[in-house]
Amino acid sequence: MRENLQQAAEARTASVVELAQELIRRPSRAGIDDYGPVLGVLEDWLSARSLPHRRLNDDAGEPLGLLVEIPGGRPGPWWTLDACVDTAPYGDEAAWSFAPAGGDVADGWLLGRGAADSKLAAAMFCHIAADLAPRAQTLHGGLAVLLDVDEHTGGFGGARAYLADEAAARPAGVMIGYPGLDEVVVGGRGLWRATIVVHAPSGHSGSSRTVVGAISRAAHLVRLLDAAELPGVNAASAFPLPPKLSVTSFHGGQGFSVTPDRCELNVDVRTVPTFDAHDAETLVREAVARLDAELPAPRPTEVVPVVTWPPFRLTEDEQPAAALLGAAAGAGLTVRAKTAGPSNIGNLLAGEGIAATAGFGVPYEGLHGIDERAHLAALPTVYAVYHRAVLDLLRAG
């Protein structure tokens, strides 16, 4: 069976690459480009193969993603393959050594924005759905393929719409097609994010009256936050990473002659099971209380929580991690289960009680940067691994 899957994957490689090239040639930068053209390529491809699919839209009718559904003929849980087809921006196009939307293949590399994250995975997952459709009656449960166009905004609107769709079967687990051949990502730190609004009296910068302005107060708060003690890795926990706090944005003031009365900070705390969102908020509010005590102002500093995601981590015998790790080992790959530092869509799914892996794919370079590319030599093996994992989850022979 393993040899048959590998042979089938090798036969699909050219078609997968061709579809990925067409996707790369339709710019779909998050918040910049119209997603209609890239979704249209997918819809045409799926329709030509009679694969059931439908758009997921927001309340205003704007597209958030595309959902492919292959129901099995026997009872069982549903499983989902997920890949985004929106992308990061290009950055300085003059710094690229090839066209960001060229989609060419050179020296075994697929070139262009989205080649690694994650248009090649989207093309691969569509082909796996096409492979399984003729034998759907033998499958237990069903397979969904989610193609998100609201991932790089950080909103994950496609995933949210999918989970909120009453017509869609709720998945038991999701495999997300982020790239990287050496690891299966089975977990990630969570996050707690807040905007902090620091107040102060306003005044003229040249006045004889000394005023501690909002920027100075905010800078003091940054020092307090940077000095805050966070716990290290808990030896009693299976989670391998510590929490982390970062001030990621600082805005206040205008011009030269006015001491501003308001300054805003964004704070990002990456959380772990032993230092969760409650602990993160407590730490930040304690720093804010200290600021207000040491440098009083007419109005107290405000903490406005923005978003919270839990950390997650699957053990290697939990699905769908077990199926993906087992299929990789069966294909002769040596991979390790990894808990990622950055948060990802797996955290959103974990908050919904849905298990997820968040990475296994081809080798890559330049993800979110200059000269993004994906190496194609491993594509047949990666294809066969996902195909085998899906068959195992759907209990197919």
Side-chain angles (χ1 to χ4, degrees), residues 3-24 45 49 103-105 108-110 115 119-128 130-131 362-363 374-385 387:
E3 291 181 357
N4 290 341
L5 286 179
Q6 184 69 26
Q7 291 169 358
E10 291 172 356
R12 298 287 186 275
T13 297
S15 180
V16 171
V17 173
E18 181 180 352
L19 177 57
Q21 289 178 292
E22 292 302 310
L23 297 176
I24 293 169
W45 192 93
R49 289 152 184 83
D104 297 325
V105 173
W109 292 87
L110 174 63
K119 292 181 175 181
L120 183 62
M124 179 174 63
F125 290 165
C126 286
H127 279 76
I128 289 174
D131 284 345
V362 299
H375 203 262
L376 297 174
L379 178 58
T381 299
V382 171
Y383 188 104
V385 167
H387 196 172

Side-chain angles (χ1 to χ4, degrees), residues 38-212:
V38 73
L39 290 176
V41 169
L42 291 164
E43 288 168 325
D44 289 346
W45 192 93
L46 294 165
S47 295
R49 289 152 184 83
S50 300
L51 293 174
H53 61 278
R54 54 194 170 91
R55 285 198 183 189
L56 300 171
N57 300 313
D58 64 15
D59 292 339
E62 294 299 316
L64 296 171
L66 197 63
L67 182 63
V68 184
E69 295 167 302
I70 308 295
R74 302 174 183 178
W78 278 66
W79 304 91
T80 300
L81 297 172
D82 173 34
C84 60
V85 290
D86 68 332
T87 73
Y90 297 152
D92 181 5
E93 293 187 50
W96 286 64
S97 59
F98 48 81
D104 297 325
V105 173
D107 299 323
W109 292 87
L110 174 63
L111 311 178
R113 177 63 83 224
D117 184 15
S118 293
K119 292 181 175 181
L120 183 62
M124 179 174 63
F125 290 165
C126 286
H127 279 76
I128 289 174
D131 284 345
L132 293 183
R135 60 184 302 182
Q137 289 305 307
T138 69
L139 306 179
H140 294 258
L143 174 69
V145 176
L146 174 63
L147 305 165
D148 197 333
V149 291
D150 190 40
E151 199 263 14
H152 283 84
T153 63
F156 299 132
R160 295 180 189 277
Y162 170 42
L163 298 178
D165 191 333
E166 296 180 356
R170 192 171 185 84
V174 177
M175 292 182 285
I176 305 164
Y178 296 138
L181 191 63
D182 299 326
E183 301 159 339
V184 171
V185 176
V186 298
R189 284 190 290 205
L191 58 81
W192 179 84
R193 289 174 175 165
T195 295
I196 301 176
V197 184
V198 178
H199 301 281
S202 62
H204 195 290
S205 61
S207 172
S208 60
R209 184 171 67 95
T210 299
V211 173
V212 180

